Amino acid sequence: MAITYLKSGRSDSARAEDDRRTRETVEAALADISARGDIAVREMAAKFDGYAPDSFRLSQDQIDALIATLTPREIEDIRFAQAQVRRFAQIQRDSMKDVEVETLPGVVLGHKHIPVQAVGCYVPGGKFPMVASAHMSILTASVAGVPRIIAATPPFQGKPNAAVIAAMHFAGAHEIYVLGGIQAIGAMALGTETIAPVDMLVGPGNAFVAEAKRQLFGRVGIDLFAGPTETMVIADDTVDAELCATDLLGQAEHGYNSPAVLVTNSRALAEGTLAEIERLLAILPTAVTAAASWRDYGEVILCDTHEEMLQVANEIASEHVQVMTDRDDWYLDSMVDYGALFLGPRTHVANGDKVIGTNHTLPTRRAGRYTGGLWVGKFIKTHTYQRVLTDDAAADIGRYCSRLCMIEGFVGHAEQANIRVRRYGGDNIPYGEAAQ
Ligand SMILES: NC(=O)c1ccc[n+]([C@@H]2O[C@H](COP(=O)([O-])OP(=O)(O)OC[C@H]3O[C@@H](n4cnc5c(N)ncnc54)[C@H](O)[C@@H]3O)[C@@H](O)[C@H]2O)c1
Ligand SMILES: [Zn+2]
């Protein structure tokens, strides 16, 4: 077994120190919002985004005025992307069936799907105005039938971004707030004098946003841990270094802390990709962030076999996993831990991010071990019900229940069963004893 790091990223201890600082910042900020409401939110918005208007909520007139600044082409492109996201989300929703079934004679069990009643969708926008994130959370919540959808996004370069606001509006947001970071997440979850709290928070964001959602989980629901973008390219010598380097940098540009990892069994491809990345960083306009990510978090891992590559890939459980090999289907069958797969050299992560229709809000920091990405089902709660229809069923299941309760010593529980066994089955069970 030979797995060699031709390039490694930051140490685990350095990453843990970053996490500790983020955790403390978020704790203090959420406590402040909880104590001082709108005043704290306004102070943070002024401090972090230099933006504190009379109202963070946009009026319909403001929304219309922003949309009017877009070109017909921009509007058409946003609507095209939303049509793709809606189409796939609707098919996924249709795959979720209510059930009602007679499991024993006279015993009926069922479940029904009920949308979360109020959600807060975070649309990131610190470094880039992430139009696509509006489709992913707000539109998907709309398809799920969520009755109250509120949405927040930070100002971009000091003011609301027209394309993001248009996408939020077209996707079906009922309230739009120009508010970012911990202050947006805290205000939506905890509520303030001007924002009624929601039941669930969804959407991706930077480390502060993801940590704020994590800390609020329990008080509200969250979709998943969707922090700074990660990407992995699994490639063999069926593809070239330029393609691999382009795909790694394409996601490393998200921020200064976006891991991009190449896993390969080809030394020539590994070395070629390292060289291509240096060449492209010299001409990529977003190289400032992409280069920082690559320097601190980029990795090139050389393996002997596809089995080793699979093992490494499952272990890292990257948010995006691009597979460009002579056996892509084998990876589709064998990968178990990841956010989403992108199969074959024609496929790429930017398609998934922006337009193709699958959801781009995906698990990071190895959360792919226990959850997939955001999808319509995350907005749906599955609630069960039961009904006992006949006297015989009440007595038959009741006798089991009575005895099982008494094994555990739950006499009051047993009596819930016993009273039915007496009434519907005619059994003569002394109070506080098990049925025979
Ligand atoms: N996992 C996913 O599915 C996924 C999808 C898309 C984007 N993303 C990630 O979303 C992130 C977007 O990040 P972004 O920063 O551009 O936008 P963002 O909207 O997530 O965060 C901007 C906010 O961060 C806050 N902030 C900035 N510096 C701060 C500080 N020092 N202390 C407290 N708060 C601070 C500000 O309030 C600002 O409004 C990227 O990391 C990207 O990789 C993840
Ligand atoms: Zn991306």
Side-chain angles (χ1 to χ4, degrees), residues 127-146:
K127 290 189 194 61
F128 299 93
M130 296 204 56
V131 177
S133 292
H135 327 323
M136 303 303 172
S137 54
I138 301 165
L139 185 56
T140 308
S142 299
V143 173
V146 175

Side-chain angles (χ1 to χ4, degrees), residues 381-400:
K381 304 175 295 153
T382 305
H383 295 279
T384 57
Y385 59 91
Q386 53 175 275
R387 182 179 274 157
V388 177
L389 289 175
T390 63
D391 292 355
D392 282 351
D396 290 348
I397 199 79
R399 292 186 194 101
Y400 280 102

